[in-house]
Amino acid sequence: MAEIDRFQPDLVACASKGGVYVVALWQMGFWRGPTLLLNAHPSCKRLPENVPVVLAQGANDEVYPTSRADLERLVSTGSPNMSFLYYTANSGEISPGMLTRTGDYHNQESLLLNDCLPRLIDAALAPEGPEVHMVRTWRHQRSQERLEAERWLGLRPERLRERWSSRGRRGRDERVLFEIPTGSDEFQHVAAVFKAAPAEKEAYNLSPQEEWDAVQVLRVERIENGPQQDGGFTPYCENVYQAFAAQSIKFEAGVHTCWAFHGADTTATESIVTNQVAGFQPLASGSRNAALWGSGTYFARDAHYVADSHFCGSPASDGTRQMLMCLIMLGMPCVGDPQHRGVLPFRQKPHRYNSTVDSLSCPEIYILQHPGAAYPAYLITFA
């Protein structure tokens, strides 16, 4: 205790067997400050009240194997908005024995990537709470040019109509697609988001960046579907705002919302664009991705991933392909699980997480379980 008083640490971090000592410090009342636990030691059965705690653990920990459900129960014993489980999960199999992402072992190699360990330390020290802080850091994985283009386009549902061309900007004309002039600021900003490379290397094996740089955006059409936005996306966003208020979370556009990409064949794309109730149907989505991170509608942070993964269907006779650029409401996400079937874990009862991602450090895939959680704002034709 004298050493703690003398040194006055900002944070106590421990790993593996060091967890025994932190538990003892809590129990004796010697430490009540921010704490980072790398691996959940079996002696840790409960988190202290009003203490910021970040717990990092991988699905493949061979020293202290602990189920995700047990880790979630442990974290739930902490005070609201003061505890965060950084969990690295195994994806489902894309073929026998083949995973797209692998959860950490006891040595937690993911902590060395994407400045993850420093960000977890900062998260434990953040006044708004570790989980909110960690989600906020995801913005830094997008280039500055892309962030500026996204801000210009708008990151709230009410901003989507600022440039609409339909009568009264109501989106109730017979047609829903309005081509954007190639020389316009709107076209240039959409193209900038579409062509942007991430700030750090992707986790997935994609074609060389030079090949993606050579892809051309040929046409951008704005989707003006008023009934879909008014009846689905906007009400869902309002429900998330209310849930955030009940959980004492401050909503931040660009943190809890973002622009993302979705690919589908021509028939499915037309249905998404024209459906007046809900363009996306998570429960009716195909099974190609469902085994990876659970059921839902899948979106990608980067257009490059969607194009390379052949989600856009077969090219047209002229060689062009199409992709949707969507504004999505992430809310507060948790890491996905192949066993998720539309009902996500509780964050603060009775409130559940709003969406899932493939990584809590550097997410590249977003999975939405509610049909109103995304609005298809632009249809991009490229080659």
Side-chain angles (χ1 to χ4, degrees):
M1 182 63 183
E3 286 298 309
I4 292 177
D5 288 340
R6 182 186 63 80
F7 190 74
Q8 295 187 347
D10 295 308
L11 172 141
V12 169
C14 66
S16 193
K17 295 184 176 77
V20 174
Y21 298 95
V22 166
V23 170
L25 289 173
W26 287 340
Q27 291 174 343
M28 298 171 70
F30 290 168
W31 179 249
R32 306 291 293 177
T35 306
L36 172 60
L37 295 173
L38 306 181
N39 321 112
H41 191 274
S43 65
C44 185
K45 303 297 185 183
R46 186 175 184 84
L47 302 184
E49 292 184 1
N50 300 316
V51 173
V53 178
V54 173
L55 169 60
Q57 183 114 355
N60 299 305
D61 192 315
E62 70 279 22
V63 179
Y64 302 138
T66 311
S67 71
R68 174 174 176 173
D70 286 342
L71 293 167
E72 289 172 342
R73 278 191 286 271
L74 173 59
V75 169
S76 71
T77 65
S79 295
N81 297 325
M82 297 190 74
S83 56
F84 169 51
L85 173 61
Y86 169 72
Y87 184 74
T88 53
N90 293 324
S91 73
E93 295 183 343
I94 54 174
S95 60
M98 293 288 292
L99 309 179
T100 60
R101 280 191 188 263
T102 303
D104 278 336
Y105 291 82
H106 193 68
N107 60 4
Q108 299 203 59
E109 292 183 0
S110 75
L111 300 179
L112 303 178
L113 305 174
N114 309 116
D115 289 327
C116 183
L117 181 57
R119 287 191 288 137
L120 290 178
I121 292 172
D122 289 342
L125 295 165
E128 69 272 23
E131 189 171 30
V132 171
H133 178 86
M134 195 65 177
V135 173
R136 184 183 294 122
T137 67
W138 296 350
R139 292 182 300 186
H140 305 311
Q141 291 143 14
R142 302 174 182 227
S143 68
Q144 190 59 40
E145 180 186 11
R146 174 169 177 171
L147 289 173
E148 291 173 0
E150 290 186 353
R151 282 193 290 267
W152 190 93
L153 291 168
L155 289 154
R156 290 178 175 270
E158 59 268 25
R159 288 206 55 198
L160 290 175
R161 298 196 183 200
E162 289 181 358
R163 288 169 288 277
W164 279 18
S165 302
S166 52
R167 287 172 293 180
R169 297 180 180 174
R170 297 175 64 242
R172 296 177 184 273
D173 293 2
E174 289 186 8
R175 64 183 180 123
V176 295
L177 293 174
F178 294 80
E179 186 168 352
I180 300 170
T182 55
S184 66
D185 288 342
E186 186 176 8
F187 184 99
Q188 297 303 321
H189 283 101
V190 170
V193 177
F194 181 83
K195 292 298 300 294
E200 297 175 309
K201 182 173 174 53
E202 309 94 335
Y204 302 99
N205 292 322
L206 304 179
S207 61
Q209 184 62 39
E210 313 86 72
E211 293 185 14
W212 180 245
D213 290 340
V215 170
Q216 293 185 328
V217 176
L218 303 178
R219 184 168 66 253
V220 175
E221 295 168 281
R222 190 190 312 109
I223 302 166
E224 303 187 16
N225 188 331
Q228 186 181 134
Q229 184 184 356
D230 294 339
F233 188 51
T234 298
Y236 177 78
C237 292
E238 293 293 340
N239 288 336
V240 172
Y241 300 153
Q242 293 172 17
F244 271 30
Q247 297 173 77
S248 300
I249 302 172
K250 180 182 177 183
F251 173 81
E252 296 181 59
V255 173
H256 303 115
T257 57
C258 68
W259 288 95
F261 297 93
H262 181 81
D265 61 32
T266 302
T267 301
T269 297
E270 182 180 3
S271 175
I272 292 168
V273 168
T274 60
N275 192 302
Q276 295 194 343
V277 179
F280 298 101
Q281 304 290 338
L283 297 181
S285 296
S287 60
R288 176 177 175 184
N289 278 324
L292 294 181
W293 299 108
S295 60
T297 304
Y298 281 59
F299 298 82
R301 180 191 66 190
D302 304 316
H304 188 181
Y305 175 88
V306 178
D308 261 32
S309 302
H310 307 291
F311 288 115
C312 300
S314 301
S317 57
D318 60 359
T320 61
R321 291 185 288 168
Q322 292 186 318
M323 190 185 304
L324 291 164
M325 180 168 148
C326 310
L327 183 62
I328 67 174
M329 171 60 81
L330 278 177
M332 286 301 294
C334 65
V335 70
D337 188 299
Q339 302 306 314
H340 283 162
R341 292 295 178 263
V343 179
L344 301 182
F346 284 107
R347 184 180 182 275
Q348 284 183 31
K349 288 186 177 181
H351 303 287
R352 297 181 183 271
Y353 282 97
N354 306 110
S355 62
T356 54
V357 292
D358 62 335
S359 165
L360 291 174
S361 174
C362 189
E364 299 179 35
I365 306 297
Y366 313 118
I367 305 97
L368 304 183
Q369 291 74 23
H370 193 284
Y375 179 78
Y378 296 100
L379 180 61
I380 300 169
T381 302
F382 63 100

